[in-house]
Coordinates of all heavy atoms in Angstrom, one line a residue:
M1 N 152.1 27.1 118.1 CA 150.9 26.3 118.0 C 149.7 27.2 118.4 O 149.9 28.0 119.2 CB 151.0 25.1 118.8 CG 150.3 23.9 118.3 SD 150.3 22.5 119.5 CE 148.8 23.0 120.4
A2 N 148.5 26.9 117.8 CA 147.3 27.7 118.1 C 147.0 27.8 119.6 O 146.4 28.7 120.1 CB 146.2 27.2 117.3
R3 N 147.3 26.7 120.4 CA 146.9 26.6 121.8 C 148.1 27.0 122.7 O 148.0 26.8 123.9 CB 146.4 25.2 122.1 CG 145.0 25.0 121.6 CD 144.6 23.6 122.0 NE 143.3 23.2 121.4 CZ 142.1 23.4 121.9 NH1 142.0 24.1 123.0 NH2 141.0 23.1 121.2
D4 N 149.1 27.6 122.1 CA 150.2 28.2 123.0 C 149.8 29.5 123.5 O 149.2 30.4 122.8 CB 151.5 28.3 122.2 CG 152.2 27.0 121.9 OD1 151.8 26.0 122.6 OD2 153.0 26.9 121.1
K5 N 150.0 29.8 124.8 CA 149.7 31.1 125.4 C 150.4 32.2 124.7 O 151.7 32.1 124.5 CB 150.1 31.0 126.9 CG 148.9 31.0 127.8 CD 149.3 30.7 129.2 CE 149.8 31.9 129.9 NZ 149.9 31.6 131.4
L6 N 149.7 33.3 124.4 CA 150.4 34.5 123.8 C 151.1 35.2 124.9 O 150.7 35.3 126.1 CB 149.4 35.4 123.1 CG 148.6 34.8 121.9 CD1 147.7 35.8 121.3 CD2 149.5 34.2 120.9
S7 N 152.2 35.9 124.5 CA 152.9 36.8 125.5 C 152.1 38.0 125.7 O 151.1 38.4 124.9 CB 154.3 37.1 124.9 OG 154.1 38.0 123.8
E8 N 152.4 38.8 126.7 CA 151.7 40.1 126.9 C 151.8 41.0 125.7 O 150.8 41.6 125.3 CB 152.3 40.8 128.1 CG 152.1 40.1 129.4 CD 150.7 39.8 129.8 OE1 149.9 40.8 129.8 OE2 150.3 38.6 130.0
T9 N 152.9 41.0 125.1 CA 153.1 41.9 123.8 C 152.3 41.4 122.7 O 151.6 42.2 122.0 CB 154.6 41.8 123.4 OG1 155.4 42.2 124.6 CG2 154.9 42.8 122.3
E10 N 152.2 40.0 122.6 CA 151.4 39.5 121.5 C 149.9 39.8 121.7 O 149.2 40.0 120.8 CB 151.7 38.0 121.4 CG 153.0 37.6 120.8 CD 153.4 36.2 120.9 OE1 152.9 35.5 121.9 OE2 154.1 35.7 120.0
I11 N 149.5 39.8 123.0 CA 148.1 40.1 123.3 C 147.8 41.5 123.0 O 146.8 41.9 122.3 CB 147.7 39.8 124.7 CG1 147.8 38.2 125.0 CG2 146.4 40.3 125.1 CD1 147.7 37.9 126.5
D12 N 148.7 42.4 123.3 CA 148.6 43.8 123.0 C 148.4 44.0 121.5 O 147.6 44.8 121.0 CB 149.8 44.7 123.5 CG 149.7 44.8 125.1 OD1 148.6 44.7 125.6 OD2 150.7 45.1 125.6
E13 N 149.3 43.4 120.7 CA 149.3 43.5 119.3 C 147.9 43.0 118.7 O 147.3 43.6 117.9 CB 150.4 42.7 118.7 CG 151.7 43.4 118.7 CD 152.9 42.5 118.3 OE1 152.6 41.4 117.8 OE2 154.1 42.9 118.5
A14 N 147.5 41.9 119.3 CA 146.2 41.3 118.8 C 145.1 42.3 119.1 O 144.2 42.5 118.3 CB 146.0 39.9 119.4
L15 N 145.1 42.8 120.3 CA 144.0 43.7 120.7 C 143.9 45.0 119.9 O 142.8 45.5 119.6 CB 144.1 44.1 122.2 CG 143.8 42.9 123.2 CD1 144.0 43.4 124.6 CD2 142.3 42.5 123.1
S16 N 145.1 45.4 119.4 CA 145.1 46.6 118.6 C 144.4 46.4 117.3 O 143.9 47.4 116.7 CB 146.5 47.1 118.4 OG 147.2 46.3 117.6
A17 N 144.2 45.2 116.9 CA 143.5 44.9 115.6 C 142.1 44.3 115.9 O 141.5 43.7 115.0 CB 144.4 43.9 114.8
L18 N 141.7 44.4 117.1 CA 140.4 43.8 117.5 C 139.5 44.9 118.1 O 139.4 45.0 119.4 CB 140.5 42.7 118.5 CG 140.9 41.3 117.9 CD1 141.2 40.4 119.1 CD2 139.9 40.7 117.0
P19 N 138.8 45.7 117.3 CA 138.0 46.8 117.9 C 137.0 46.3 118.9 O 136.3 45.3 118.7 CB 137.2 47.3 116.7 CG 138.1 46.9 115.5 CD 138.8 45.7 115.9
G20 N 137.0 47.0 120.1 CA 136.0 46.7 121.1 C 136.5 45.7 122.2 O 135.9 45.6 123.3
W21 N 137.6 45.0 121.9 CA 138.1 44.0 122.8 C 139.1 44.6 123.8 O 139.9 45.4 123.4 CB 138.7 42.8 122.1 CG 137.6 42.0 121.4 CD1 137.1 42.2 120.1 CD2 136.9 40.8 121.9 NE1 136.1 41.3 119.9 CE2 136.0 40.4 120.9 CE3 137.0 40.1 123.1 CZ2 135.2 39.3 121.1 CZ3 136.2 39.0 123.3 CH2 135.3 38.6 122.3
A22 N 139.1 44.1 125.0 CA 140.1 44.6 126.0 C 140.5 43.4 126.9 O 139.8 42.3 126.8 CB 139.4 45.6 126.9
R23 N 141.5 43.5 127.7 CA 141.8 42.5 128.6 C 140.8 42.4 129.7 O 140.2 43.5 130.1 CB 143.2 42.9 129.3 CG 144.4 42.7 128.5 CD 145.5 43.4 129.1 NE 146.7 43.4 128.2 CZ 147.5 42.3 128.1 NH1 147.3 41.3 128.8 NH2 148.5 42.4 127.3
A24 N 140.6 41.3 130.2 CA 139.6 41.0 131.3 C 140.4 41.1 132.6 O 141.6 41.0 132.7 CB 138.9 39.7 131.2
E25 N 139.6 41.4 133.7 CA 140.2 41.5 135.0 C 140.9 40.2 135.5 O 141.7 40.3 136.4 CB 139.2 42.1 136.0 CG 139.0 43.6 136.0 CD 138.0 44.1 137.0 OE1 137.7 43.3 137.9 OE2 137.6 45.3 136.8
D26 N 140.5 39.1 135.0 CA 141.0 37.8 135.5 C 142.5 37.6 135.1 O 143.1 36.7 135.5 CB 140.1 36.7 135.2 CG 140.1 36.4 133.6 OD1 140.8 37.1 132.9 OD2 139.3 35.5 133.2
G27 N 142.9 38.5 134.1 CA 144.3 38.5 133.7 C 144.6 37.3 132.7 O 145.8 37.2 132.3
R28 N 143.6 36.6 132.4 CA 143.9 35.5 131.4 C 142.9 35.4 130.3 O 142.8 34.4 129.6 CB 144.1 34.2 132.1 CG 142.9 33.9 133.0 CD 143.2 32.7 133.9 NE 142.1 32.8 134.8 CZ 141.7 31.8 135.6 NH1 142.4 30.7 135.6 NH2 140.7 31.8 136.3
S29 N 142.1 36.5 130.2 CA 141.0 36.4 129.1 C 141.0 37.8 128.5 O 141.5 38.8 129.0 CB 139.6 36.2 129.8 OG 139.6 35.1 130.7
I30 N 140.3 37.8 127.3 CA 139.9 39.1 126.7 C 138.4 39.1 126.6 O 137.7 38.1 126.7 CB 140.5 39.2 125.2 CG1 140.1 38.0 124.3 CG2 142.0 39.4 125.3 CD1 140.6 38.1 122.9
M31 N 137.9 40.4 126.6 CA 136.4 40.5 126.8 C 135.9 41.6 125.8 O 136.6 42.5 125.5 CB 136.1 40.8 128.2 CG 136.8 42.1 128.7 SD 136.3 42.4 130.4 CE 134.7 43.2 130.2
R32 N 134.7 41.5 125.5 CA 133.9 42.5 124.8 C 132.5 42.4 125.1 O 131.9 41.3 125.2 CB 134.1 42.4 123.3 CG 133.4 43.5 122.5 CD 133.6 43.6 121.1 NE 132.7 44.6 120.5 CZ 132.6 45.0 119.3 NH1 133.3 44.4 118.3 NH2 131.7 45.9 118.9
R33 N 131.8 43.6 125.2 CA 130.4 43.7 125.3 C 129.8 44.1 123.9 O 130.3 45.1 123.3 CB 130.0 44.7 126.3 CG 128.5 45.0 126.3 CD 128.0 45.8 127.5 NE 127.9 44.9 128.6 CZ 127.5 45.3 129.9 NH1 127.2 46.5 130.1 NH2 127.5 44.4 130.8
F34 N 128.9 43.2 123.4 CA 128.2 43.5 122.2 C 126.8 44.0 122.5 O 126.1 43.3 123.3 CB 128.2 42.3 121.3 CG 129.5 41.8 120.8 CD1 130.2 40.8 121.5 CD2 130.0 42.2 119.6 CE1 131.4 40.4 121.0 CE2 131.2 41.8 119.1 CZ 131.9 40.9 119.8
T35 N 126.4 45.0 121.9 CA 125.1 45.6 122.1 C 124.3 45.6 120.8 O 124.9 46.2 119.8 CB 125.0 46.9 122.8 OG1 125.8 46.8 124.0 CG2 123.6 47.4 123.1
F36 N 123.1 45.1 120.7 CA 122.4 44.9 119.4 C 121.1 45.8 119.5 O 120.8 46.3 120.5 CB 122.1 43.4 119.1 CG 123.4 42.7 118.9 CD1 124.0 42.0 120.0 CD2 124.0 42.6 117.7 CE1 125.2 41.3 119.9 CE2 125.2 41.9 117.5 CZ 125.8 41.3 118.6
A37 N 120.4 45.8 118.4 CA 119.2 46.5 118.3 C 118.1 45.9 119.2 O 117.3 46.7 119.7 CB 118.7 46.6 116.8
D38 N 118.1 44.6 119.2 CA 117.0 43.9 120.0 C 117.5 42.5 120.3 O 118.6 42.1 119.9 CB 115.7 43.9 119.2 CG 115.9 43.3 117.8 OD1 116.7 42.5 117.6 OD2 115.1 43.7 117.0
F39 N 116.6 41.8 121.0 CA 117.0 40.4 121.4 C 117.2 39.5 120.2 O 118.2 38.6 120.2 CB 115.9 39.8 122.3 CG 116.2 38.3 122.7 CD1 117.2 38.0 123.6 CD2 115.5 37.3 122.0 CE1 117.4 36.7 123.9 CE2 115.7 36.0 122.4 CZ 116.7 35.7 123.3
G40 N 116.4 39.6 119.2 CA 116.6 38.8 117.9 C 118.0 38.9 117.3 O 118.6 37.9 116.9
E41 N 118.4 40.2 117.3 CA 119.8 40.4 116.7 C 120.9 39.8 117.6 O 121.8 39.2 117.1 CB 120.0 41.9 116.5 CG 119.1 42.6 115.5 CD 119.5 42.2 114.1 OE1 120.6 42.0 113.8 OE2 118.5 42.0 113.3
A42 N 120.7 40.0 118.9 CA 121.7 39.4 119.8 C 121.7 37.9 119.7 O 122.8 37.3 119.7 CB 121.3 39.8 121.3
F43 N 120.5 37.3 119.6 CA 120.5 35.8 119.5 C 121.0 35.3 118.2 O 121.7 34.2 118.2 CB 119.0 35.3 119.8 CG 119.1 33.9 120.2 CD1 119.4 33.5 121.5 CD2 118.8 32.9 119.3 CE1 119.4 32.2 121.9 CE2 118.9 31.6 119.7 CZ 119.2 31.2 121.0
A44 N 120.7 36.0 117.1 CA 121.3 35.6 115.8 C 122.8 35.6 115.9 O 123.5 34.7 115.4 CB 120.8 36.6 114.7
F45 N 123.4 36.6 116.5 CA 124.8 36.7 116.7 C 125.3 35.6 117.5 O 126.3 34.9 117.1 CB 125.1 38.1 117.4 CG 126.5 38.1 118.0 CD1 127.6 38.3 117.2 CD2 126.7 37.9 119.4 CE1 128.9 38.4 117.8 CE2 127.9 38.0 119.9 CZ 129.1 38.2 119.1
M46 N 124.6 35.2 118.5 CA 125.0 34.1 119.4 C 124.9 32.8 118.6 O 125.8 31.9 118.7 CB 124.2 34.0 120.6 CG 124.4 35.2 121.6 SD 123.4 35.2 123.1 CE 124.3 34.0 124.1
A47 N 123.9 32.6 117.8 CA 123.8 31.4 117.0 C 124.9 31.3 116.0 O 125.5 30.1 115.9 CB 122.4 31.4 116.2
R48 N 125.3 32.3 115.3 CA 126.4 32.3 114.4 C 127.7 32.0 115.1 O 128.5 31.2 114.7 CB 126.6 33.6 113.6 CG 125.4 33.9 112.7 CD 125.6 35.1 111.8 NE 124.5 35.4 111.1 CZ 123.6 36.4 111.3 NH1 123.9 37.3 112.3 NH2 122.6 36.6 110.6
S49 N 127.9 32.6 116.2 CA 129.1 32.5 117.0 C 129.2 31.1 117.5 O 130.3 30.5 117.6 CB 129.2 33.5 118.2 OG 129.1 34.8 117.7
A50 N 128.1 30.5 117.9 CA 128.1 29.2 118.5 C 128.5 28.1 117.5 O 129.2 27.2 117.8 CB 126.7 28.8 119.1
L51 N 128.0 28.3 116.3 CA 128.3 27.4 115.2 C 129.8 27.5 114.9 O 130.5 26.4 114.7 CB 127.5 27.6 114.0 CG 126.0 27.3 114.1 CD1 125.2 27.7 112.9 CD2 125.7 25.8 114.4
A52 N 130.3 28.7 114.8 CA 131.8 28.8 114.6 C 132.6 28.3 115.7 O 133.6 27.6 115.4 CB 132.1 30.4 114.4
A53 N 132.2 28.5 116.9 CA 132.9 28.0 118.1 C 132.9 26.4 118.1 O 134.0 25.8 118.4 CB 132.2 28.5 119.4
E54 N 131.8 25.9 117.7 CA 131.8 24.4 117.7 C 132.7 23.9 116.6 O 133.4 22.9 116.8 CB 130.3 24.0 117.5 CG 130.1 22.5 117.6 CD 130.4 22.0 119.1 OE1 130.6 22.8 119.9 OE2 130.3 20.8 119.2
K55 N 132.7 24.5 115.4 CA 133.6 24.0 114.4 C 135.1 24.1 114.8 O 135.9 23.3 114.4 CB 133.4 24.9 113.1 CG 132.4 24.3 112.2 CD 132.4 25.0 110.8 CE 131.1 24.7 110.1 NZ 130.7 25.8 109.3
M56 N 135.4 25.2 115.5 CA 136.8 25.5 116.0 C 137.1 24.6 117.2 O 138.3 24.6 117.6 CB 136.9 26.9 116.4 CG 136.8 27.9 115.2 SD 136.6 29.6 115.8 CE 138.3 29.9 116.4
D57 N 136.1 24.0 117.8 CA 136.3 23.3 119.1 C 136.9 24.3 120.1 O 137.8 24.0 120.9 CB 137.1 22.0 119.0 CG 137.2 21.2 120.3 OD1 136.1 21.2 121.0 OD2 138.2 20.5 120.5
H58 N 136.3 25.5 120.1 CA 136.8 26.5 121.0 C 135.6 27.4 121.4 O 135.0 28.0 120.5 CB 137.9 27.3 120.3 CG 138.7 28.2 121.3 ND1 139.4 27.7 122.2 CD2 138.7 29.5 121.5 CE1 140.0 28.6 123.0 NE2 139.5 29.8 122.5
H59 N 135.3 27.5 122.7 CA 134.0 28.0 123.1 C 134.1 29.2 124.0 O 135.0 29.3 124.8 CB 133.3 26.8 123.8 CG 133.1 25.6 123.0 ND1 134.0 24.6 123.0 CD2 132.2 25.3 122.1 CE1 133.7 23.7 122.1 NE2 132.5 24.1 121.5
P60 N 133.2 30.1 123.8 CA 133.2 31.3 124.6 C 132.6 31.1 126.0 O 131.7 30.3 126.2 CB 132.3 32.3 123.8 CG 131.4 31.4 123.1 CD 132.1 30.1 122.8
D61 N 133.0 31.9 127.0 CA 132.3 32.1 128.2 C 131.5 33.4 128.0 O 132.0 34.4 127.7 CB 133.2 32.4 129.4 CG 134.1 31.2 129.7 OD1 133.9 30.1 129.0 OD2 135.0 31.3 130.5
W62 N 130.1 33.3 128.0 CA 129.3 34.5 127.7 C 128.0 34.5 128.4 O 127.6 33.5 129.0 CB 129.1 34.6 126.2 CG 128.5 33.4 125.5 CD1 127.9 32.3 126.1 CD2 128.3 33.2 124.1 NE1 127.5 31.4 125.1 CE2 127.6 32.0 123.9 CE3 128.6 34.0 122.9 CZ2 127.2 31.5 122.7 CZ3 128.2 33.5 121.7 CH2 127.6 32.3 121.6
S63 N 127.4 35.7 128.4 CA 126.1 35.8 129.0 C 125.3 36.8 128.1 O 125.9 37.6 127.4 CB 126.2 36.3 130.4 OG 126.7 37.6 130.5
N64 N 124.0 36.6 128.2 CA 123.1 37.4 127.4 C 122.0 38.0 128.3 O 121.4 37.2 129.1 CB 122.5 36.6 126.3 CG 121.3 37.2 125.7 OD1 120.2 36.5 125.7 ND2 121.3 38.4 125.2
V65 N 121.8 39.3 128.2 CA 120.6 39.9 128.8 C 120.0 40.8 127.8 O 120.6 41.8 127.3 CB 121.0 40.8 130.1 CG1 119.8 41.5 130.6 CG2 121.7 39.9 131.1
Y66 N 118.8 40.4 127.3 CA 118.0 41.1 126.3 C 119.0 41.3 125.1 O 119.3 40.4 124.3 CB 117.4 42.4 126.9 CG 116.7 43.3 125.9 CD1 115.9 42.7 124.9 CD2 116.7 44.7 126.0 CE1 115.2 43.5 124.0 CE2 116.1 45.5 125.1 CZ 115.3 44.9 124.2 OH 114.6 45.7 123.3
K67 N 119.4 42.5 124.8 CA 120.1 42.8 123.6 C 121.6 43.0 123.8 O 122.3 43.4 122.9 CB 119.5 44.0 122.9 CG 119.6 45.3 123.7 CD 118.9 46.4 122.9 CE 119.0 47.8 123.7 NZ 118.4 48.9 123.0
T68 N 122.1 42.6 125.0 CA 123.5 42.7 125.3 C 124.1 41.3 125.5 O 123.5 40.4 126.1 CB 123.7 43.5 126.6 OG1 123.1 44.8 126.4 CG2 125.1 43.5 127.0
V69 N 125.3 41.1 124.9 CA 126.0 39.9 125.0 C 127.4 40.2 125.5 O 128.2 40.9 124.9 CB 126.1 39.1 123.6 CG1 126.8 37.8 123.9 CG2 124.7 38.9 123.0
D70 N 127.7 39.7 126.7 CA 129.0 39.9 127.3 C 129.9 38.6 127.0 O 129.5 37.5 127.3 CB 129.0 40.1 128.8 CG 128.5 41.5 129.1 OD1 129.0 42.5 128.5 OD2 127.6 41.7 129.9
V71 N 131.0 38.8 126.4 CA 131.8 37.7 126.0 C 133.2 37.7 126.7 O 133.8 38.7 126.7 CB 132.1 37.6 124.5 CG1 132.8 36.4 124.0 CG2 130.7 37.7 123.7
M72 N 133.7 36.5 127.2 CA 135.0 36.4 127.7 C 135.6 35.3 126.9 O 135.0 34.2 126.8 CB 135.0 36.0 129.2 CG 134.4 37.1 130.1 SD 135.6 37.9 131.0 CE 136.2 36.7 132.1
L73 N 136.8 35.5 126.4 CA 137.5 34.4 125.6 C 138.8 34.1 126.3 O 139.6 35.0 126.6 CB 137.8 34.9 124.2 CG 136.5 35.1 123.3 CD1 136.9 35.5 121.9 CD2 135.6 33.9 123.3
S74 N 139.0 32.8 126.5 CA 140.2 32.3 127.1 C 140.4 30.9 126.7 O 139.4 30.2 126.4 CB 140.1 32.4 128.7 OG 141.2 31.9 129.3
T75 N 141.6 30.4 126.6 CA 141.8 29.0 126.3 C 142.1 28.3 127.6 O 143.2 28.4 128.2 CB 143.0 28.9 125.3 OG1 142.7 29.6 124.2 CG2 143.2 27.4 125.0
H76 N 141.1 27.6 128.1 CA 141.1 27.0 129.5 C 142.2 26.1 129.6 O 142.9 26.1 130.6 CB 139.8 26.4 129.7 CG 138.6 27.4 129.6 ND1 137.5 27.1 128.9 CD2 138.5 28.7 130.1 CE1 136.6 28.1 128.9 NE2 137.2 29.1 129.7
D77 N 142.4 25.2 128.6 CA 143.5 24.2 128.6 C 144.9 24.9 128.7 O 145.8 24.3 129.3 CB 143.5 23.5 127.3 CG 142.3 22.6 127.0 OD1 141.4 22.5 128.0 OD2 142.0 22.1 125.9
A78 N 145.1 26.1 128.2 CA 146.3 26.8 128.3 C 146.5 27.8 129.5 O 147.6 28.3 129.8 CB 146.6 27.5 126.9
G79 N 145.4 28.1 130.1 CA 145.3 29.1 131.2 C 145.6 30.5 130.7 O 146.2 31.3 131.5
G80 N 145.3 30.8 129.5 CA 145.4 32.2 129.1 C 144.9 32.4 127.7 O 144.1 31.6 127.2
V81 N 145.4 33.5 127.1 CA 144.9 33.8 125.7 C 145.8 33.2 124.7 O 147.0 33.3 124.8 CB 144.9 35.4 125.6 CG1 144.4 35.8 124.2 CG2 143.9 36.0 126.6
T82 N 145.2 32.6 123.7 CA 145.9 32.0 122.5 C 145.4 32.5 121.2 O 144.4 33.3 121.2 CB 145.8 30.5 122.5 OG1 144.4 30.2 122.2 CG2 146.2 29.9 123.9
E83 N 146.0 32.1 120.2 CA 145.5 32.5 118.8 C 144.1 32.0 118.6 O 143.4 32.7 117.8 CB 146.5 31.9 117.7 CG 147.8 32.6 117.6 CD 148.8 31.8 116.7 OE1 148.3 30.9 115.9 OE2 149.9 32.1 116.7
L84 N 143.7 31.0 119.2 CA 142.3 30.6 119.1 C 141.3 31.6 119.5 O 140.3 31.9 118.9 CB 142.0 29.2 119.8 CG 142.6 28.0 119.2 CD1 142.5 26.8 120.1 CD2 141.9 27.7 117.9
D85 N 141.6 32.2 120.7 CA 140.8 33.3 121.2 C 140.8 34.5 120.2 O 139.7 35.1 120.0 CB 141.3 33.7 122.6 CG 141.3 32.6 123.5 OD1 140.2 32.0 123.8 OD2 142.4 32.2 124.0
V86 N 141.9 34.9 119.7 CA 142.0 35.9 118.8 C 141.2 35.6 117.5 O 140.4 36.5 117.0 CB 143.5 36.3 118.4 CG1 143.6 37.3 117.3 CG2 144.2 36.7 119.7
A87 N 141.3 34.4 117.1 CA 140.5 34.0 115.9 C 139.0 34.1 116.1 O 138.3 34.6 115.2 CB 141.0 32.6 115.4
L88 N 138.6 33.6 117.2 CA 137.2 33.6 117.5 C 136.6 35.0 117.7 O 135.5 35.4 117.2 CB 136.9 32.7 118.8 CG 135.4 32.6 119.1 CD1 134.5 32.1 117.9 CD2 135.2 31.6 120.4
A89 N 137.4 35.9 118.4 CA 137.1 37.3 118.6 C 136.9 38.0 117.2 O 136.0 38.7 117.0 CB 138.2 38.0 119.4
R90 N 137.8 37.7 116.3 CA 137.7 38.3 115.0 C 136.4 37.9 114.3 O 135.7 38.7 113.7 CB 139.0 37.8 114.1 CG 139.3 38.8 113.0 CD 140.6 38.3 112.3 NE 141.8 38.4 113.1 CZ 142.6 37.3 113.3 NH1 142.3 36.1 112.8 NH2 143.7 37.5 114.0
R91 N 136.1 36.6 114.4 CA 134.9 36.1 113.8 C 133.7 36.8 114.4 O 132.7 37.1 113.7 CB 134.8 34.6 113.9 CG 135.6 33.8 113.0 CD 135.3 32.4 113.0 NE 136.1 31.6 112.1 CZ 135.7 30.5 111.6 NH1 134.5 30.0 111.9 NH2 136.5 29.8 110.8
M92 N 133.7 36.9 115.7 CA 132.5 37.5 116.4 C 132.4 38.9 116.0 O 131.2 39.4 115.8 CB 132.7 37.3 117.9 CG 132.5 35.9 118.4 SD 132.9 35.7 120.2 CE 131.2 35.2 120.7
N93 N 133.4 39.6 115.9 CA 133.3 41.0 115.4 C 132.7 41.0 114.0 O 131.9 41.9 113.7 CB 134.7 41.7 115.3 CG 135.1 42.3 116.7 OD1 134.5 42.0 117.7 ND2 136.2 43.1 116.7
G94 N 133.1 40.1 113.2 CA 132.5 40.0 111.8 C 131.0 39.7 111.9 O 130.2 40.4 111.2
Y95 N 130.6 38.8 112.8 CA 129.1 38.5 112.9 C 128.4 39.7 113.5 O 127.2 39.8 113.3 CB 128.9 37.3 113.8 CG 129.6 36.0 113.2 CD1 130.2 35.1 114.1 CD2 129.5 35.7 111.9 CE1 130.8 34.0 113.6 CE2 130.1 34.6 111.4 CZ 130.7 33.7 112.2 OH 131.3 32.5 111.7
A96 N 129.0 40.5 114.3 CA 128.3 41.7 114.8 C 128.3 42.8 113.9 O 127.8 43.9 114.2 CB 129.0 42.1 116.2
G97 N 128.9 42.7 112.7 CA 128.9 43.7 111.7 C 130.2 44.6 111.8 O 130.1 45.8 111.4
G98 N 131.2 44.1 112.4 CA 132.5 44.9 112.5 C 132.9 45.3 113.8 O 132.4 44.9 114.9
Ligands
LIG101 N1 137.1 26.2 124.7 N2 137.6 28.4 125.5 C1 137.9 27.1 125.4 N3 139.1 26.7 126.0 C2 139.4 25.4 125.9 O1 140.5 25.0 126.4 C3 138.6 24.5 125.2 C4 137.4 25.0 124.6 N4 136.6 24.1 124.0 C5 136.9 22.7 123.9 C6 138.2 22.3 124.5 N5 139.0 23.1 125.1 C7 138.5 20.9 124.3 O2 139.4 20.7 123.2 C8 139.2 20.1 125.4 O3 138.8 20.6 126.7 C9 139.1 18.6 125.2

């Protein structure tokens, strides 16, 4: 099921196909820093990602400073990384241009 926690091996496999993403120090999230040309680009990325997240009913933990967006993805209900996080990370990479 999409909300089942992935195994360590499954997370490694998923990360190998997700450029820029790595495990977070909390041991139950994946993270990526996105850096854009300016604040407008960063905010456009956040707007697209927010709409996708809302449709998926799956939301990022993130912060924005000027043209940088730091994202942590975790499935809080499951206490770890699930296919939903992988799917949202893939979409975010797409919105960031790869
Ligand atoms: N977003 N990242 C994340 N993790 C969740 O567990 C989660 C969510 N968004 C909505 C959501 N869960 C709800 O389905 C429930 O908490 C009701």
Side-chain angles (χ1 to χ4, degrees):
M1 215 190 83
R3 282 178 192 273
D4 287 344
K5 252 167 78 166
L6 298 182
S7 69
E8 297 301 306
T9 309
E10 287 169 330
I11 294 172
D12 285 341
E13 281 171 11
L15 287 174
S16 70
L18 281 173
W21 289 84
R23 287 166 186 279
E25 277 182 14
D26 67 4
R28 52 193 173 162
S29 310
I30 55 174
M31 57 181 279
R32 179 173 175 182
R33 169 165 288 179
F34 293 92
T35 306
F36 297 92
D38 54 29
F39 176 75
E41 294 291 322
F43 199 80
F45 163 78
M46 293 179 81
R48 292 187 188 105
S49 299
L51 292 174
E54 190 60 8
K55 270 192 197 147
M56 294 168 73
D57 188 29
H58 193 67
H59 303 91
D61 296 354
W62 57 5
S63 64
N64 160 239
V65 177
Y66 179 37
K67 60 184 182 176
T68 299
V69 182
D70 285 315
V71 183
M72 298 255 291
L73 297 180
S74 175
T75 301
H76 304 131
D77 296 346
V81 178
T82 69
E83 284 172 14
L84 284 171
D85 300 300
V86 175
L88 184 53
R90 202 179 293 125
R91 283 191 181 205
M92 290 177 117
N93 275 12
Y95 298 142

